[in-house]
Amino acid sequence: QMHLAESGGGSVQTGGSLSLSCVVSGRDSGGKYCMKWIRQAPGKEREGVAVLSPTYGARYAEAVEGRFTVSKDNFKNILYLQMNSLRPEDTATYYCATLYSPTGCFGRPLGEWDYQGQGTQVTVSS
């Protein structure tokens, strides 16, 4: 089982930027796994933000397309989420998640993903 530890959250004003990190450790350390950033705003369900496939690259939720960038340092086993042009609606707790899926990463429901970290809080004020 892999261990995930998110960090990098904080409070910014609208238009600001933050860079989140997720340190991945444990079995395989994520080298063959799909990686995903998920967020949960107060009173709302968790939603996928960005998916990184080891084979096919990244895909983003429409709400963050063009503003967020997901990447991974495979040597350090750290997943990143660069968030630019932040909006109040981006306020949420952000989690990273993994999925081992030889059949592909995209479109897989949240219930199939493994996320057990504490998350990191992002607050965007207007």
Side-chain angles (χ1 to χ4, degrees), residues 4-49:
L4 308 172
E6 304 93 345
S7 64
S11 297
V12 297
Q13 293 187 328
T14 297
S17 298
L18 284 172
S19 181
L20 306 185
S21 299
C22 172
V23 178
V24 184
S25 59
R27 182 171 59 89
D28 190 40
S29 295
K32 299 178 183 177
Y33 281 66
C34 302
M35 303 295 297
K36 189 180 186 83
W37 284 100
I38 297 167
R39 67 186 181 186
Q40 186 168 22
K44 295 187 178 181
E45 295 185 353
R46 292 189 177 191
E47 62 175 350
V49 174

Side-chain angles (χ1 to χ4, degrees), residues 88-106:
E89 52 265 39
D90 295 319
T91 295
T93 301
Y94 285 71
Y95 304 86
C96 58
T98 63
L99 172 67
Y100 180 72
S101 175
T103 59
C105 309
F106 304 131

